[in-house]
Amino acid sequence: MASPSLHHLHQNPFINKKSRDIGRHERPGLTSVSSILTFSTTTETCISSRKVESLNAVKQLHAQIVKMGDNLNSECLAEKLIHLYLKFGDFRSAAFVFFLGFLGLVNFSRPLRSLVEEFDGAGSTIFNLLVIFSELHRKGAVFDGRNLSVVIKICAESGDLWLGKEIHALLVKKGLDLDVHLKCALMSFYGNCWGVEFADQVFEEMPSPTIFLWNEAISVNLRSGLFAKALHFFREMQFSFVKANSFTTVKIIQVCGKLRALGEGKQIHGYVLRSALESNLLICNSLVNMYAKNSKLESARIVFDLIEKPTTASWNCIVYGYAINGFLAEARKLFQEMELSEAKPDVITWNSLLSGYLLHESSEKVLVILQKMQSAGFKPNSSSIATVLQAISDLGLLVSGKEVHGYVIRNGLEHDVYVGTSLIDMYLKCSSLSGAQAAFDYMKNKNVFAWNSIITGYAFNGHFDEAFKHLEQMKQEGINPDMVTWNGLVSGYSLRGHSNEAVALIRQMKTLGVEPNVVSWTALISGCCQTGNYKDSFRFFGYMVLEGIKPNSTTTSTLLRACAGMSLLQKGEEIHCLTIRNCTFEDPVVATSLIDMYCKSGSLKKALDIFRKCQKKGVASWNSMIMGLAIHGRGKEAISLFNEMCDAGIKPDSITFTAVLSGCKHSGLIDDGWKYFDSMAKDFNMMPTLEHYSCMVDLLGRCGYLDEAWDFIQQMPLEADAGTWGALLGACRIHKNLELAEIASKHLFKLEPYNSANYILMMNLYANANRWENVENLRDLMDAKSVNNRPGWSWIQIDEKIHVFSAVGKPHRDIGEIYYELYQLVSKIKKLGYVPDTSCVLQKTSEDEKLNTLLSHTEKLAITYGLIKKETSSPVRVISNTRVCTDCHTAAKHISEVSGREIFLKDRVRFHHFSNGKCSCNDYW
């Protein structure tokens, strides 16, 4: 629909004759559309007490008011007339009263937006209101600058681009364009409808901007999310010697909090002190909030303590600050102090605690806080519900999510966009696509976030047809897909292993005029990494660089995870250099990824060095370092670091205890294992998960306490999973306990019928016991179930190339040279006492054939090739996909002694560091 035009406005200049000649006969009952409506107190009483039951009654009442109209003007009566006309469907008369009565009053207190929304919800639109305004102009109605500023604001609300521009042109012609209030209205209009740069241009046209214009310039940029630019305007304002009022100061302090601009925030704090504004409560509250968001709680507390009479808002700022920064004990203490003060906690206070527990402690605690909140008589609002739904999503508690959904419906929150989007997200994370679709369908006002959630949900679950179907519906609803929409689809394809389709979608985005950004490419790279397609991660990173996209901290941390997954130390070091060049090295997520990469690539020394240099160590950083020590067999050091973590005030989580217990099981620390397992519930109020139980079974079994491990499984409060039975089976292989192994394997064959590793372990046990018939039976069972036996392989990186040695397939091109060198090495290590362990060959063959088979083990071939090709000063690093056998382990120890070289071998379970004839595992693996 075209905008209402003002082209007649310039042909019909304002006239001074009484406007009762305008449209006198156009609307019965509205005797004079341009009469200045004057209303008396008596009339107000009359209209308040009189029951109006029809449109004719409204018109009669209006006529009566006009006849009596020579006393004080009344905003209340104008509003009531508008309301009555709208109630009985006479939009036109309501609009006449609005423009010729309501806007003619000198002062009106009701927010304009709420009155305009009343028109918008009365079976018509704001656009029709502007049509009537244009009609009145054409007929010569006189509107002053103040009236026009209101109309410009309505244009901004409705998004009427051209009418607002025409009014601007009119103002210039009439010489009203320098009016401050009109300028502010124009800046707001251009900021909403045309872009911030147009609003800034209006501002620049003013030779000496007043405080109102400076405020509007800052506000327009804030509304557009241009916080840095708003801060720039504030600085320019100071240089222009215009003193900021409290409103502007509060807004700009809030910007410093959002931008984490501590330096600028301190400068504005100084300005507040110099301007003697420190007694202003709103400014003080904003300062508390700003310091809290910059993690400067000491400064926040100083400002708070200087407030003479803190209000509820003041307390909320300080409680939120401590909660959101993870100081939950202090937040609870402040909450208790608040309860004893004059200002009592409200829903916002409780919401602060909910957010803090969600971010820093546990999702379970969020549900406990919610119960306490309701017990205290507070009704959760949309913000509370959104936080609780996120906690439920993290826990995967679909039943609890449905209960909260019921509460949402009973309390009329189902149409809240924020709550609706959180419900969709909860159902998706709890793997209930039908629930997500139902919640989405029930939403009345679906915004782009709601559409993005449902489209991404279908994409992540592999339902791409449904995802694109919703994409088309989204467009039909008049909502354009944004970058998040496309990135969600890219991520979905990548996570489902369809990386080629994801790349094609990125190319398609370009043809549609949407330029893929760093998030698009990182979504692709991350999806490949999560599905184990590490090579593709690096390949697509190369494409990203060729496109001129600079990687961010998320990109580099994802690439580091890919390096860790493949134990690519050299590539990891290159990414490390990239983080230094891009200044993302100090990012806590990047630092944690670096620690993890170096640990899993066999460079524990570098990992420890980065860990010690890291300034902001979160629980994830501690967990990565403790687990790194664990997989390298340094259990005592892992425990020591755990204790250091607790002394530093960092609360351990479930992953921390998995890392500590892993350290115990890899080092045989059975007493320490029991100690920390028991302390989970006793000292940290944390219930052990199946992963923790599996660690204890592994620890007991490795140490030879197989009966205790069996009893432990029987007494577990949780049903044992494949990880638990796998730990028992692995321990049975070490100690050759066939009876318990058969029990464990039966469970594993049911839980993981296609996992070849379980069958191979049992075949090893049967072979050691010379039960070859059972070996053949298991082979037949694997064939019957079409279980593929994954071949063993080892690889080593020489310069830029990866050399793979596999038990099957084509041999390495230098295999002749490798075997020649290996024979020489075996001859040397035999002189040191090496005796080949033919029990590691699980085939019914002669001893000579077994000896030849031992020589062909991929670990030996890779180590030998490393000794040939790598410089004598550099260590040899080999990665294997199977658990190292006893013979290869013994041989590697002797080879490290005769060659004088360090050998790092990462098998399926852990790292082995061979040096001078010894291994870091102390032969306990």
Side-chain angles (χ1 to χ4, degrees):
M1 186 183 290
S3 295
S5 176
L6 292 182
H7 68 277
H8 294 293
L9 187 62
H10 312 310
Q11 300 170 8
N12 297 290
F14 295 139
I15 56 177
N16 296 321
K17 67 180 181 178
K18 290 189 177 180
S19 54
R20 60 172 166 268
D21 295 332
I22 305 171
R24 174 182 288 177
H25 305 295
E26 293 181 10
R27 181 62 85 180
L30 188 58
T31 308
S32 176
V33 294
S34 61
S35 297
I36 301 299
L37 298 174
T38 52
F39 311 108
S40 67
T41 307
T42 307
T43 310
E44 286 189 38
T45 307
C46 172
I47 197 171
S48 298
S49 59
R50 185 171 173 178
K51 191 173 182 181
V52 183
E53 297 181 342
S54 68
L55 180 58
N56 283 332
V58 180
K59 292 174 181 178
Q60 290 171 10
L61 183 61
H62 189 177
Q64 180 185 352
I65 292 168
V66 172
K67 288 176 184 177
M68 297 172 62
D70 56 359
N71 293 317
L72 293 174
N73 293 341
S74 171
E75 171 193 342
C76 179
L77 280 175
E79 277 194 50
K80 286 177 180 176
L81 271 177
I82 291 170
H83 175 73
L84 287 169
Y85 274 124
L86 291 175
K87 178 181 176 183
F88 291 104
D90 194 344
F91 184 89
R92 183 181 178 81
S93 294
F96 277 22
V97 175
F98 176 75
F99 285 118
L100 300 174
F102 187 78
L103 294 188
L105 301 175
V106 177
N107 291 300
F108 50 87
S109 57
R110 182 176 176 184
L112 176 68
R113 186 170 192 173
S114 64
L115 192 59
V116 172
E117 284 175 353
E118 193 170 336
F119 277 94
D120 203 28
S124 190
T125 63
I126 297 177
F127 177 84
N128 289 333
L129 192 63
L130 295 173
V131 170
I132 292 173
F133 164 76
S134 298
E135 178 187 337
L136 289 170
H137 263 88
R138 288 197 304 273
K139 292 181 177 180
V142 178
F143 292 98
D144 61 15
R146 184 173 176 278
N147 300 148
L148 292 174
S149 71
V150 172
V151 178
I152 293 170
K153 289 176 183 176
I154 297 174
C155 291
E157 287 287 330
S158 65
D160 196 316
L161 280 64
W162 296 107
L163 181 61
K165 273 215 161 192
E166 290 186 35
I167 294 175
H168 188 183
L170 173 68
L171 294 174
V172 173
K173 286 187 177 182
K174 295 295 178 183
L176 297 173
D177 57 314
L178 294 180
D179 181 278
V180 171
H181 295 290
L182 279 167
K183 278 284 187 184
C184 289
L186 283 169
M187 288 173 65
S188 177
F189 162 72
Y190 280 112
N192 280 7
C193 298
W194 288 91
V196 179
E197 62 275 13
F198 289 91
D200 292 345
Q201 188 177 338
V202 172
F203 174 79
E204 296 295 339
E205 290 171 357
M206 203 70 171
S208 299
T210 64
I211 179 64
F212 300 106
L213 283 169
W214 282 107
N215 284 344
E216 190 62 35
I218 292 169
S219 297
V220 166
N221 282 278
L222 287 177
R223 287 195 295 270
S224 299
L226 301 174
F227 303 121
K229 198 171 181 182
L231 199 57
H232 167 74
F233 269 110
F234 183 81
R235 291 196 197 96
E236 291 297 315
M237 181 180 178
Q238 303 307 303
F239 293 145
S240 300
F241 302 102
V242 177
K243 187 176 180 180
N245 59 18
S246 58
F247 172 82
T248 311
T249 307
V250 166
K251 289 291 182 185
I252 213 68
I253 291 171
Q254 291 171 353
V255 169
C256 294
K258 287 178 181 176
L259 292 179
R260 305 293 189 268
L262 180 61
E264 290 83 352
K266 285 182 175 180
Q267 291 174 22
I268 295 168
H269 192 176
Y271 169 82
V272 167
L273 296 173
R274 291 193 301 274
S275 303
L277 295 171
E278 66 271 18
S279 60
N280 186 298
L281 189 59
L282 287 175
I283 289 177
C284 288
N285 291 348
S286 299
L287 284 168
V288 171
N289 195 265
M290 182 274 293
Y291 281 120
K293 286 185 175 178
N294 282 283
S295 303
K296 294 296 179 183
L297 293 178
E298 290 182 10
S299 299
R301 190 60 191 266
I302 290 170
V303 176
F304 175 78
D305 290 338
L306 290 172
I307 300 174
E308 190 174 342
K309 289 185 178 180
T311 61
T312 299
S314 309
W315 281 99
N316 285 345
C317 288
I318 195 69
V319 170
Y320 173 81
Y322 276 93
I324 214 71
N325 282 285
F327 295 92
L328 297 170
E330 290 83 351
R332 287 195 302 270
K333 185 179 177 183
L334 283 164
F335 182 88
Q336 292 163 358
E337 290 177 17
M338 185 180 181
E339 289 181 308
L340 300 173
S341 71
E342 293 180 6
K344 303 299 180 185
D346 61 5
V347 174
I348 296 173
T349 325
W350 285 99
N351 287 349
S352 298
L353 291 178
L354 288 171
S355 298
Y357 276 98
L358 179 68
L359 286 172
H360 296 287
E361 193 153 304
S362 69
S363 298
E364 291 95 338
K365 287 286 182 70
V366 172
L367 303 183
V368 174
I369 295 293
L370 177 69
Q371 289 176 341
K372 290 181 178 179
M373 176 182 179
Q374 291 179 297
S375 300
F378 288 94
K379 190 175 179 180
N381 61 11
S382 59
S383 180
S384 322
I385 295 300
T387 304
V388 170
L389 285 171
Q390 190 174 339
I392 289 170
S393 300
D394 294 340
L395 296 168
L397 301 175
L398 181 59
V399 174
S400 299
K402 288 181 177 179
E403 291 172 359
V404 174
H405 194 174
Y407 172 89
V408 166
I409 295 171
R410 290 193 302 274
N411 290 274
L413 295 172
E414 67 271 24
H415 299 308
D416 184 288
V417 177
Y418 188 34
V419 172
T421 306
S422 298
L423 278 168
I424 294 168
D425 187 62
M426 180 275 295
Y427 279 115
L428 290 171
K429 288 183 177 176
C430 292
S431 303
S432 176
L433 274 173
S434 58
Q437 185 65 59
F440 177 78
D441 291 339
Y442 204 72
M443 289 178 69
K444 279 188 176 179
N445 301 312
K446 302 179 181 74
N447 61 7
V448 68
F449 303 107
W451 283 101
N452 286 346
S453 292
I454 195 70
I455 290 169
T456 302
Y458 276 113
F460 277 27
N461 283 276
H463 300 287
F464 298 107
D465 290 341
E466 279 295 323
F468 280 99
K469 178 183 172 184
H470 279 77
L471 181 67
E472 290 305 315
Q473 291 174 356
M474 177 184 184
K475 294 176 184 177
Q476 292 168 12
E477 292 286 334
I479 299 176
N480 292 322
D482 61 7
M483 188 64 75
V484 177
T485 320
W486 295 109
N487 288 347
L489 290 167
V490 169
S491 187
Y493 272 123
S494 185
L495 285 168
R496 286 285 160 177
H498 304 297
S499 55
N500 290 331
E501 288 85 347
V503 175
L505 191 59
I506 288 179
R507 306 295 185 206
Q508 184 185 347
M509 287 168 65
K510 282 189 169 187
T511 63
L512 294 171
V514 181
E515 193 65 34
N517 59 11
V518 65
V519 179
S520 314
W521 286 101
T522 302
L524 172 60
I525 294 166
S526 179
C528 293
C529 184
Q530 290 181 59
T531 54
N533 297 320
Y534 302 122
K535 287 184 180 179
D536 282 347
S537 294
F538 296 115
R539 179 163 63 93
F540 294 135
F541 175 65
Y543 292 172
M544 173 181 167
V545 172
L546 290 174
E547 291 287 335
I549 306 291
K550 184 179 179 181
N552 60 15
S553 58
T554 307
T555 318
T556 50
S557 63
T558 302
L559 291 169
L560 287 167
R561 284 202 304 273
C563 293
M566 296 181 72
S567 298
L568 291 173
L569 179 61
Q570 189 172 325
K571 180 65 74 173
E573 288 172 334
E574 291 173 9
I575 305 298
H576 188 177
C577 293
L578 179 65
T579 66
I580 296 171
R581 290 198 301 273
N582 291 346
C583 300
T584 57
F585 171 72
E586 294 183 359
D587 184 290
V589 176
V590 173
T592 301
S593 298
L594 279 167
I595 293 165
D596 185 59
M597 181 275 296
Y598 278 119
C599 285
K600 290 177 179 176
S601 299
S603 185
L604 198 59
K605 187 170 181 272
K606 283 188 178 179
L608 280 165
D609 184 50
I610 292 169
F611 176 77
R612 293 301 177 193
K613 288 178 180 178
C614 184
Q615 296 296 316
K616 295 180 180 179
K617 289 191 279 282
V619 65
S621 304
W622 290 91
N623 289 349
S624 292
M625 195 65 250
I626 294 170
M627 183 60 85
L629 291 166
I631 62 174
H632 282 267
R634 294 163 77 163
K636 286 290 185 184
E637 291 178 55
I639 290 171
S640 176
L641 193 62
F642 171 80
N643 294 329
E644 185 182 332
M645 173 185 179
C646 295
D647 292 341
I650 307 295
K651 187 171 182 180
D653 61 10
S654 176
I655 299 171
T656 316
F657 281 99
T658 300
V660 172
L661 293 175
S662 294
C664 294
K665 77 177 184 182
H666 286 308
S667 301
L669 305 174
I670 194 161
D671 291 335
D672 289 308
W674 277 119
K675 173 186 172 182
Y676 290 106
F677 180 81
D678 292 338
S679 74
M680 288 183 70
K682 187 173 74 174
D683 301 327
F684 295 93
N685 194 28
M686 193 183 299
M687 298 306 296
T689 65
L690 277 169
E691 198 166 6
H692 302 116
Y693 283 106
S694 296
C695 284
M696 287 306 298
V697 171
D698 202 351
L699 172 60
L700 291 167
R702 283 171 185 264
C703 292
Y705 297 99
L706 289 170
D707 291 336
E708 287 82 352
W710 169 250
D711 291 338
F712 184 79
I713 292 173
Q714 297 301 107
Q715 295 168 13
M716 280 170 51
L718 304 172
E719 187 175 351
D721 64 352
T724 311
W725 291 114
L728 181 63
L729 181 59
C732 290
R733 186 195 63 81
I734 294 170
H735 300 287
K736 298 179 174 57
N737 188 317
L738 198 53
E739 182 183 354
L740 280 178
E742 287 180 329
I743 296 172
S745 65
K746 284 180 182 177
H747 288 282
L748 286 168
F749 294 160
K750 288 180 182 178
L751 293 168
E752 296 180 329
Y754 301 104
N755 186 348
S756 61
N758 300 322
Y759 297 91
I760 300 301
L761 270 176
M762 275 309 298
M763 283 193 279
N764 289 348
L765 279 160
Y766 283 133
N768 279 322
N770 287 318
R771 291 172 56 173
W772 298 104
E773 184 179 347
N774 295 102
V775 172
E776 291 303 318
N777 289 339
L778 279 179
R779 283 203 179 104
D780 293 340
L781 181 61
M782 289 178 71
D783 290 338
K785 291 185 176 182
S786 300
V787 179
N788 294 319
N789 182 15
R790 188 173 59 178
W793 51 255
S794 299
W795 63 261
I796 185 170
Q797 183 173 359
I798 307 294
D799 297 325
E800 295 293 325
K801 190 173 180 180
I802 303 293
H803 296 265
V804 180
F805 298 87
S806 178
V808 296
K810 188 178 178 180
H812 192 275
R813 65 183 183 183
D814 296 326
I815 194 65
E817 182 183 1
I818 294 168
Y819 271 121
Y820 177 81
E821 182 64 27
L822 182 55
Y823 285 133
Q824 302 296 320
L825 284 171
V826 169
S827 177
K828 291 178 182 178
I829 63 178
K830 280 183 177 179
K831 295 176 182 177
L832 297 176
Y834 165 69
V835 177
D837 185 358
T838 55
S839 67
C840 294
V841 180
L842 305 174
Q843 297 170 4
K844 198 173 182 181
T845 58
S846 66
E847 283 297 307
D848 288 339
E849 288 177 332
K850 287 182 178 181
L851 288 172
N852 289 331
T853 301
L854 286 177
L855 284 175
S856 67
H857 279 194
T858 60
E859 295 91 336
K860 291 189 183 77
L861 298 176
I863 289 171
T864 304
Y865 194 63
L867 293 173
I868 295 170
K869 295 296 182 181
K870 293 184 76 70
E871 296 178 2
T872 55
S873 59
S874 59
V876 174
R877 300 177 186 275
V878 173
I879 313 299
S880 176
N881 73 329
T882 59
R883 186 180 179 277
V884 63
C885 73
T886 306
D887 184 71
C888 286
H889 191 269
T890 304
K893 285 195 298 182
H894 289 303
I895 290 171
S896 70
E897 185 176 7
V898 298
S899 65
R901 303 279 288 276
E902 285 184 292
I903 299 170
F904 290 89
L905 173 61
K906 181 187 178 185
D907 67 10
R908 187 170 53 85
V909 179
R910 58 174 296 163
F911 267 98
H912 299 269
H913 178 197
F914 302 99
S915 180
N916 296 320
K918 295 180 180 179
C919 180
S920 59
C921 73
N922 294 318
D923 296 335
Y924 178 85
W925 88 101

